[in-house]
Amino acid sequence: MKNAQLLPALLLAIAACRATSSPPRNTLPAKAAVTEITTAENEAPSRPVPAAALLPLPVNYPASRQSDHVDTYFGTRVPDPYRWLEELDSPETKQWVTAQNEVSFGYLSQIPFRDKIRQRLTTMWNYERYGIPEQVGEALVYSRNDGLQNQPVVYIQRGKAEAQVLLDPNTFSAEGTTALAALEFSADHRYLAYSLSGGGSDWQRVKILDLKTGQDLPEELSWVKVSGLSWVKNGFYYSRYDTPKAGENSLAGKNEYHKVYYHQLNTPQSADKLVYEDPKMALGFRIAAATEDERFLSLYLTDGKSDGNRLLVRDLRDAKQAGKWTTLVSSYEHDNSVIGSVGDAVLVYTNYKAPNYRLVRIDPKKPQEANWTEVLPETANKLEGISQVGGHLIANYLHDASSQVKVYTEQGKFLHDVSLPAIGTASGFGGRRADKATYYAFTSFTYPTTIYKYDIGTNTSTVFRAPKVDVNPADYETTQVFYKSKDGTKVPMFIVHKKGLKLDGKNPTYLYAYGGFNVSLTPGFSVARMLWLESGGILAVPNLRGGGEYGEAWHKAGMTPHKQNVFDDFIAAAEYLKTHNYTDAGHLAIAGGSNGGLLVGATMTQRPDLCQVALPAVGVLDMLRYHAFTIGWNWAPEYGTSDNQEQFENLYKFSPLHNLRPAAYPATMITTADHDDRVVPAHSFKFAAALQAANTGPRPQLIRIDVNAGHGAGKSTKLQIEEWADVWSFCFANMGVTPVVK
């Protein structure tokens, strides 16, 4: 959708295919918000009761063959005995997956309160929720899930007429595992280009809906990945890879030679016009996006080595510019994104010479830096994102991981703040320059995502949709603390629990973090986490270095060669919770997904004594070979690669797979999926096999493998409920606690 999120479209698209995985949300906004709801007092919550008799449950692991495969890196011999598990389609690997799932689900089936947790989750999940609407001409388009639908449905409402179904992804596959990845309307509102992701894969198929006839056009675009859909006249720009060669595994093979094409309506994909390619550069993304007036076409280029992108532009109205590009930013070292245009100039969101980001105006005819005009200078708070809507600029700043939304003229004159319901995070504010109003979402850890309509002229917000959930926000409290990491750095952490909870050092605690890729881990509502809180658990979310909460300096402090800072921050968070009597090692679970899965894997191998439960989800766990699969090469700026001796030595120190030693490890449940083509499941497969062999203690080491699912985006409601029921059951059981479940 046009400017559907505050984060500029390019950075969102690239970040989406980095090793990112946010806390599971039950609403559509990609960056669901945070707030604090601590109003009415309530009685002390029920305490979980001891259940020591639950453990230990017996586990007999399947055999995992060890080969004699050895790789040599700069003279260092590194055994890789489970290399065969990288062959995802081999009969041996498939048999191993089946055997591991039989063990894992057999173990989980023995937990007596598992069904009760699943039933309660199903009840809590069954509420109506909306995505952020988009104004499309005289119509309003929004998504809605009526409760337990596997995928949200897209509706269109014209005037005061009853809303009609526009697209229902639940009809696209029998299992409900095909999800909508993107929606883009043509400027005349006649056509809708939409992309589909099947089984959680990052590969997308693009289709085109004729809104007048209600029928799809005959053409379909394939092998699309890390792409925008940007309309200009009677077609749109998009990015794709060449069709995989016969016999190549499309879910694991390395993705190279990204290209930009222009697709004209009512023509086959084979007729698409090649707009940009670089046959000399195999790695990197190439994405094109047009401004709303369809005058300027921006080209974003990454190189797979640096952390930012080059920015080029073409004036589509200037015949002399045909086939030519003007370079606005030549370096790959910084993030740069065009968010709109004013007259003959483009507005560029950038962290060039501004670690906390700024907005500048650049005339493509005079692109030299000396001619740039600063519209919104850098401030002490990070400029998280910005949109051009209603003839104004709406900027979202982060202050200690909470939103401050400000409105400016297009020339950069401050007008006013947007009054938000509480301390928290807002997302949205998309639209077009002619719109009189825009929409945004606001939420918190315990407050369900509420959609607001914002009148730009009067600076007033009204509720558009407020969900009704079987949760009372007044029963909970959220605090933010600052603790010292190993090197003395102050790190913020949100802590959420029921009011009146006794801090006796024995509370079940779920410590979740991410720490990487400039991702700002601002808290948001999750019905799954509400069950944990409702059952007497504590939720703790620290904002580790490597994230984007405090700008690029905070990010770089957690990148290679400083990645150990992230693990130290996480360990310090756990120690803070123990020191301040929230919990102890026997009642602590550590969790994270994707890059956060690396975080958990590194932490549990460095400190097996830190916690009782470890939950690495879809993790990057083999740091020496991650760049050999799909788009793993894109994470090299964050981690470094084993192709460089200095970086190899750094990676080898913390790579979870390579730092397993005989030890009594926490109860571990690794989660992954067979269709994950971002962080391929071989990471989890190899780590599980090695962990089972290395563990000397009594606690279980399981791997739970979803079938027909991917990295997390678009996962069906059914699969989410099943997975969370197993996660919470595993945590409580291994903490020796029977939860109080309604």
Side-chain angles (χ1 to χ4, degrees), residues 383-407:
L383 178 58
E384 179 76 350
I386 190 164
S387 59
Q388 182 185 29
V389 57
H392 294 74
L393 301 174
I394 302 182
N396 182 10
Y397 291 92
L398 279 186
H399 178 73
D400 291 338
S402 295
S403 283
Q404 294 179 343
V405 181
K406 300 177 180 294
V407 181

Side-chain angles (χ1 to χ4, degrees), residues 311-578:
L311 177 60
L312 291 73
V313 71
R314 176 185 294 171
D315 189 339
L316 297 176
R317 296 180 186 174
D318 186 347
K320 296 179 181 179
Q321 280 269 294
K324 298 179 181 179
W325 297 98
T326 298
T327 299
L328 301 186
V329 182
S330 60
S331 171
Y332 289 103
E333 296 296 328
H334 302 91
D335 292 334
N336 309 283
S337 180
V338 172
I339 64 103
S341 62
V342 176
D344 294 330
V346 292
L347 297 171
V348 179
Y349 167 87
T350 181
N351 64 357
Y352 174 67
K353 293 186 177 180
N356 283 349
Y357 292 84
R358 59 177 174 155
L359 185 72
V360 296
R361 185 168 59 246
I362 304 176
D363 183 344
K365 293 182 179 178
K366 296 180 290 183
Q368 296 79 11
E369 184 182 347
N371 299 321
W372 294 8
T373 301
E374 198 164 59
V375 180
L376 297 182
E378 181 188 24
T379 73
N381 292 322
K382 181 190 176 185
L383 178 58
E384 179 76 350
I386 190 164
S387 59
Q388 182 185 29
V389 57
H392 294 74
L393 301 174
I394 302 182
N396 182 10
Y397 291 92
L398 279 186
H399 178 73
D400 291 338
S402 295
S403 283
Q404 294 179 343
V405 181
K406 300 177 180 294
V407 181
Y408 299 84
T409 67
E410 291 185 333
Q411 288 69 44
K413 179 184 177 181
F414 173 73
L415 297 177
H416 42 248
D417 292 307
V418 176
S419 180
L420 300 176
I423 296 173
T425 302
S427 60
F429 297 101
R432 298 176 179 270
R433 294 181 75 185
D435 291 346
K436 303 295 184 184
T438 183
Y439 295 84
Y440 67 93
F442 189 87
T443 189
S444 79
F445 287 109
T446 60
Y447 189 72
T449 303
T450 299
I451 308 298
Y452 288 87
K453 181 178 181 179
Y454 176 67
D455 187 297
I456 301 171
T458 63
N459 187 29
T460 56
S461 298
T462 54
V463 174
F464 173 73
R465 293 289 187 274
K468 297 178 181 179
V469 188
D470 188 13
V471 170
N472 183 10
D475 291 348
Y476 304 88
E477 60 182 325
T478 301
T479 57
Q480 187 179 42
V481 302
F482 291 81
Y483 64 91
K484 286 187 177 180
S485 188
K486 183 178 180 179
D487 62 359
T489 299
K490 281 190 174 182
V491 181
M493 176 165 58
F494 291 100
I495 303 176
V496 191
H497 55 75
K498 274 190 174 183
K499 289 182 176 179
L501 187 72
K502 184 180 179 181
L503 300 185
D504 61 0
K506 300 291 183 182
N507 296 292
T509 299
Y510 180 77
L511 177 62
Y512 179 93
Y514 187 75
F517 293 93
N518 202 26
V519 171
S520 300
L521 192 59
T522 54
F525 183 78
S526 161
V527 70
R529 294 189 304 202
M530 286 309 306
L531 183 137
W532 179 258
L533 295 171
E534 180 183 85
S535 302
I538 292 174
L539 169 67
V541 182
N543 298 108
L544 313 179
R545 281 175 284 184
E549 293 84 356
Y550 295 102
E552 187 60 16
W554 192 253
H555 174 211
K556 286 185 176 180
M559 294 173 63
T560 188
H562 310 297
K563 195 65 180 176
Q564 184 60 41
N565 285 340
V566 183
F567 314 139
D568 290 342
D569 290 356
F570 197 46
I571 292 168
E575 298 295 3
Y576 176 94
L577 294 168
K578 298 175 190 177

Side-chain angles (χ1 to χ4, degrees), residues 298-309:
S298 302
L299 179 65
Y300 305 94
L301 306 175
T302 72
D303 67 353
K305 300 177 182 177
S306 306
D307 197 46
N309 63 281

Side-chain angles (χ1 to χ4, degrees), residues 16 20-21 151 177 179-180 197 199-202 678 709-716:
T20 57
S21 184
Q151 302 292 339
T177 55
L180 283 170
S197 168
S201 170
D202 280 337
R678 190 175 308 176
H711 197 62
K715 181 177 286 190
S716 71

